[in-house]
Amino acid sequence: MCFNYNVMVRRLMLTGTLDWAEATRDSIRSSCMKEITANKTLQKKEENGTAPSVMETIQRIACPNECSEKGQCVKGNCVCINGYGSSDCSLDLNAPPEVNGINIDEGGICDVEHCEKAYVSGDDFIDSLDLKCRIQKISIDSSGHRTEEETFYVQGHHESLFEVHCPILQDQSRRRKRSTSDDKTFVVEFKISVTNTGKMYSSAHSLFVLDAECQDVANVSGETRFVL
């Protein structure tokens, strides 16, 4: 493979930064890995059988993003040090994930008839037993008065690095506190945050549960209101 160093030097002079170098490096690495996978000659060991093949030598050092200096490259895969994860060890496992919104496609609304879980969108969600959802329940009456009722914790269901499902209406009749405010509840709000470790939680975002057959959403001076 040939590298056009003149092009690289011109890019550096024009941009004054090496931000583009990571993408170039990953592209070169990908091309090299394809080449050694397809070329049987590069996979052969030396005649004495003790020296590694060209493929093995390259695999030892060809890891994504050089493991972000947070891990060791082993046969093309990063073995991360404690506290870091992902394919290139760039993910700080102790940092909370980033949450962008709840039920984004529905505008943060859920119909009570089929609202069994919240669809949490964000980044850096880790598939582990410590993936939890913290859910604060708030009752809102027809005048807009809010009553905080309870906070509970449930196991999050990992869908991808960018989405987690949080059960919210599992046996809510058992969870619900009997009070006079229950009779006046017009809409229920769930404020949901997520943790990868059971310790550091993300920022909280709201999901509003209403009866779509008789209730609707209105925007009054930039504020969300619920009406019959």
Side-chain angles (χ1 to χ4, degrees), residues 5-202:
Y5 292 104
N6 290 330
V7 172
M8 294 184 178
V9 171
R10 283 199 296 269
R11 283 186 182 178
L12 178 59
M13 293 177 65
L14 288 171
T15 63
T17 177
L18 289 173
D19 292 345
W20 49 269
E22 182 176 339
T24 302
R25 181 183 60 197
D26 288 342
S27 177
I28 293 172
R29 179 187 294 110
S30 178
S31 298
C32 286
M33 297 305 290
K34 288 180 180 179
E35 175 66 21
I36 64 175
T37 301
N39 192 326
K40 300 298 182 183
T41 301
L42 299 178
Q43 300 175 26
K44 293 181 179 179
K45 292 181 177 293
E46 297 294 332
E47 292 184 0
N48 58 17
T50 57
S53 65
V54 174
M55 181 179 73
E56 291 172 332
T57 301
I58 293 176
Q59 284 182 332
R60 290 177 181 176
I61 60 173
C63 277
N65 200 28
E66 311 303 326
C67 297
S68 306
E69 299 184 357
K70 298 293 189 300
Q72 183 178 2
C73 186
V74 179
K75 293 184 178 180
N77 296 307
C78 290
V79 179
C80 306
I81 62 176
N82 188 35
Y84 288 87
S86 80
S87 62
D88 64 352
C89 299
S90 62
L91 182 59
D92 185 351
L93 302 182
N94 294 314
E98 178 182 346
V99 172
N100 300 324
I102 315 290
N103 287 35
I104 292 179
D105 292 343
E106 288 76 35
I109 305 298
C110 191
D111 185 358
V112 68
E113 287 297 320
H114 52 75
C115 192
E116 297 180 351
K117 55 187 175 183
Y119 299 88
V120 183
S121 300
D123 199 4
D124 295 340
F125 296 124
I126 300 173
D127 188 6
S128 75
L129 294 176
D130 293 322
L131 180 65
K132 298 287 193 337
C133 306
R134 181 173 62 193
I135 305 175
Q136 181 184 20
K137 182 181 177 183
I138 301 170
S139 293
I140 305 175
D141 63 21
S142 57
S143 66
H145 179 73
R146 299 158 58 87
T147 301
E148 296 183 6
E149 293 198 11
E150 62 180 324
T151 298
F152 54 95
Y153 300 80
V154 297
Q155 182 71 46
H157 298 289
H158 186 272
E159 293 297 315
S160 71
L161 187 67
F162 311 106
E163 184 175 72
V164 167
H165 295 172
C166 298
I168 56 173
L169 292 182
Q170 291 184 341
D171 195 13
Q172 282 300 313
S173 59
R174 179 179 62 82
R175 296 183 187 277
R176 182 173 300 152
K177 295 179 180 179
R178 297 291 181 180
S179 67
T180 55
S181 64
D182 285 335
D183 299 331
K184 300 177 182 179
T185 298
F186 190 64
V187 170
V188 173
E189 176 186 6
F190 291 106
K191 295 184 74 68
I192 302 173
S193 54
V194 180
T195 178
N196 286 322
T197 63
K199 298 177 181 179
M200 300 292 291
Y201 280 83
S202 69

